[in-house]
Amino acid sequence: KLVTYVLNKFTQQHPNNNIKSDKAAMYRVKEACKNAKQELSDVMITQTSITVPYICMGASGPLNLDITVTRNEFESLIRNDITDTINRTREVCKKANLTEEEINAVVMVGGSSRIPLIYRELVAIFGESKIKNNINPDEAIAIGAAIQGSIISGENTDVVLIDSTSLDLGIESLGGVMSTIIKSGSPLPIKKSQTFTTSTENQETAEISIYQGERPLVKDNIKLGSFVLTGIRRAAKGIPQIEVTFEMDANSLLNVTAMDKDTNKSQNILLKPEVGLTPEEIERMKEEAKKHHDKDQEEKALIIAKHDLESKIFTIDKELENIKEKTPELNDKINTYKQETNKILNDNNVKDIKIYTEQSNKGDEIIRELMSLNKTNTNNNTQENTNTNTNSGNNNQEEPKVENPEEDTNK
């Protein structure tokens, strides 16, 4: 940003001279800006000059680049970057379930940590006593690498380094929704499980597709692999219980297992997440998730709302199977509801969640009415059976046989 600022200033001074396409000139400008940044990182310096002699040829001879930059101008240029750094710091604390007050120390790492503005912002959050800048920030990463090397070799047993997941890990559920099982930032090793069910009647197989990414829909994330769980016992949809377990070891190897709790049949796959992803690509995925957050949530809510309406029709049909006598009014009510619901589901232009919610509430009313009718029919059938048994006993002139409760208890 400082380079862009300097180039714009030079262009204002010399409109007919463009040095952006001159690689040698650009290299000299970048080096000069780098030195200026280092100078402005000294709390005692409030301004500096960026000077590059004979940067290019002008109409009357060689031109020099000479731009003065104050600390205020420099800090204004990098303000958005500093804000982003502070937001990430807060996010790290949030993911670790720690408040700023619970942090013991903040170690300044990297040359840019010398910039006074960064120091001031961190002091405002954590307090001056917690900011540790007594380590040479250019050497901090090398020191950390040396410590990790000594731990891996077994030379150092006093320090434990914990790695963590970089992105969310989960599976595809109905409608292309990402069901996250392991959240990003989770310490390794880790083991997490969730229980899912079937989406169709008498489903005997289930495809488990594994994804990583920060978006709520799998179409925007990266597919790691998939496998098929077979041997699920035939049953009504929503009855089978399929437990999906994600287990990641300290080497970031991910073992995904799916097991039908009824038959205990299972299948698994071994994966290596993040292979081929650079830190920049991981960062880009996180930024895109933030950028599209609101739109993604709306799309996810719409998918869930549609699935909810489909479930309402399924439940209504199931309840109807147990009702022998249906009044014309009830039939009309149900048919009208189904027609309205199918019209909404088939119209891709209907994206107002309120419409889905209102229709879902109508479905709930019908389901409650049907359940009440089924309960009444069940009670009537029970009463009829009781009367039949009593009359049958009187016709046979026999006393009903009653087992001794004490004998039952002893058994």
Side-chain angles (χ1 to χ4, degrees):
K1 290 186 177 179
L2 183 57
V3 171
T4 302
Y5 176 79
V6 168
L7 290 175
N8 289 337
K9 284 281 189 181
F10 181 79
T11 302
Q12 290 173 9
Q13 296 172 357
H14 308 282
N16 298 325
N17 296 93
N18 185 0
I19 61 174
K20 293 180 181 179
S21 59
D22 188 334
K23 292 183 179 180
M26 286 298 296
Y27 174 79
R28 295 173 66 195
V29 171
K30 289 177 182 178
E31 286 297 307
C33 288
K34 180 180 177 181
N35 293 332
K37 185 190 82 167
Q38 292 174 351
E39 289 181 14
L40 290 172
S41 296
D42 188 330
V43 293
M44 303 301 293
I45 296 176
T46 58
Q47 72 175 37
T48 187
S49 293
I50 300 176
T51 303
V52 182
Y54 306 118
I55 190 67
C56 67
M57 288 297 296
S60 58
L63 296 177
N64 299 326
L65 184 148
D66 190 4
I67 307 293
T68 299
V69 181
T70 66
R71 182 189 301 285
N72 288 338
E73 288 174 326
F74 175 63
E75 291 183 351
S76 177
L77 290 172
I78 64 171
R79 171 60 66 178
N80 290 339
D81 296 315
I82 302 302
T83 300
D84 185 54
T85 300
I86 297 304
N87 289 340
R88 291 173 188 275
T89 304
R90 293 184 187 277
E91 188 177 336
V92 168
C93 295
K94 183 179 179 181
K95 286 187 175 181
N97 294 320
L98 293 171
T99 64
E100 287 82 357
E101 291 75 19
E102 292 174 312
I103 300 296
N104 295 325
V106 178
V107 181
M108 306 287 278
V109 175
S112 294
S113 64
R114 291 190 178 95
I115 297 173
L117 179 58
I118 295 179
Y119 181 80
R120 294 199 305 271
E121 293 288 339
L122 289 174
V123 167
I125 299 173
F126 299 100
E128 190 169 8
S129 62
K130 294 182 180 180
I131 310 302
K132 306 300 179 184
N133 58 355
N134 53 339
I135 300 175
N136 186 333
D138 295 326
E139 298 174 355
I141 295 176
I143 294 172
I147 293 173
Q148 186 170 13
S150 66
I151 293 171
I152 294 173
S153 66
E155 182 180 338
N156 188 343
T157 58
D158 298 330
V159 180
V160 177
L161 296 179
I162 300 176
D163 203 353
S164 63
T165 55
S166 299
L167 297 165
D168 288 349
L169 296 165
I171 68 170
E172 179 180 4
S173 57
L174 196 63
V177 173
M178 168 93 158
S179 292
T180 300
I181 295 180
I182 295 180
K183 294 288 292 180
S184 64
S186 298
L188 300 181
I190 187 172
K191 183 177 181 180
K192 291 279 186 179
S193 298
Q194 280 189 31
T195 301
F196 300 86
T197 189
T198 52
S199 58
T200 59
E201 293 284 276
N202 300 315
Q203 186 174 327
E204 296 181 277
T205 63
E207 183 176 0
I208 311 297
S209 297
I210 302 98
Y211 288 82
Q212 69 172 351
E214 302 289 299
R215 308 280 289 274
L217 302 179
V218 297
K219 65 183 180 66
D220 300 311
N221 294 325
I222 297 174
K223 186 174 182 179
L224 298 176
S226 64
F227 63 91
V228 177
L229 174 65
T230 60
I232 301 172
R233 198 184 302 280
R234 291 166 61 88
K237 78 170 187 176
I239 297 300
Q241 299 288 295
I242 301 169
E243 184 179 65
V244 178
T245 301
F246 277 41
E247 185 173 9
M248 183 176 277
D249 62 18
N251 296 316
S252 297
L253 282 174
L254 176 65
N255 184 30
V256 180
T257 305
M259 182 186 73
D260 178 10
K261 288 186 175 182
D262 182 30
T263 62
N264 286 330
K265 290 186 177 181
S266 64
Q267 186 61 266
N268 75 301
I269 189 172
L270 193 63
L271 301 165
K272 179 72 173 176
E274 300 173 23
V275 171
L277 283 178
T278 64
E280 290 76 20
E281 288 173 323
I282 293 173
E283 196 59 41
R284 176 184 56 78
M285 292 176 69
K286 290 178 177 288
E287 288 299 322
E288 288 181 352
K290 292 179 181 178
K291 179 181 177 181
H292 300 289
H293 177 269
D294 293 342
K295 182 182 176 182
D296 285 349
Q297 291 302 322
E298 289 176 5
E299 192 172 352
K300 177 183 176 182
L302 193 61
I303 291 172
I304 293 173
K306 286 184 176 181
H307 175 56
D308 180 59
L309 280 188
E310 292 169 350
S311 297
K312 290 293 190 296
I313 292 179
F314 175 82
T315 304
I316 288 171
D317 289 338
K318 278 294 180 183
E319 291 293 331
L320 279 172
E321 291 176 1
N322 299 320
I323 299 177
K324 296 178 181 178
E325 297 181 1
K326 309 175 187 71
T327 65
E329 293 80 9
L330 180 60
N331 278 331
D332 290 343
K333 187 176 182 180
I334 292 173
N335 289 333
T336 300
Y337 175 77
K338 285 186 175 181
Q339 289 173 3
E340 291 176 351
T341 302
N342 287 325
K343 184 178 179 181
I344 293 172
L345 291 173
N346 294 328
D347 189 348
N348 293 326
N349 294 321
V350 180
K351 296 183 179 181
D352 188 348
I353 293 296
K354 289 182 180 179
I355 295 176
Y356 288 93
T357 303
E358 290 172 0
Q359 194 67 10
S360 179
N361 291 337
K362 290 180 184 178
D364 288 333
E365 291 177 9
I366 294 174
I367 291 169
R368 283 194 292 269
E369 185 177 346
L370 293 175
M371 291 177 70
S372 178
L373 284 173
N374 277 328
K375 185 176 180 181
T376 301
N377 290 339
T378 301
N379 291 337
N380 290 339
N381 291 336
T382 303
Q383 185 64 39
E384 288 176 5
N385 290 335
T386 302
N387 292 336
T388 301
N389 289 336
T390 303
N391 292 333
S392 175
N394 290 336
N395 291 335
N396 294 329
Q397 297 295 314
E398 290 182 358
E399 292 291 330
K401 184 178 180 181
V402 179
E403 294 182 354
N404 191 325
E406 292 183 359
E407 287 183 1
D408 288 345
T409 303
N410 291 332
K411 288 178 184 177

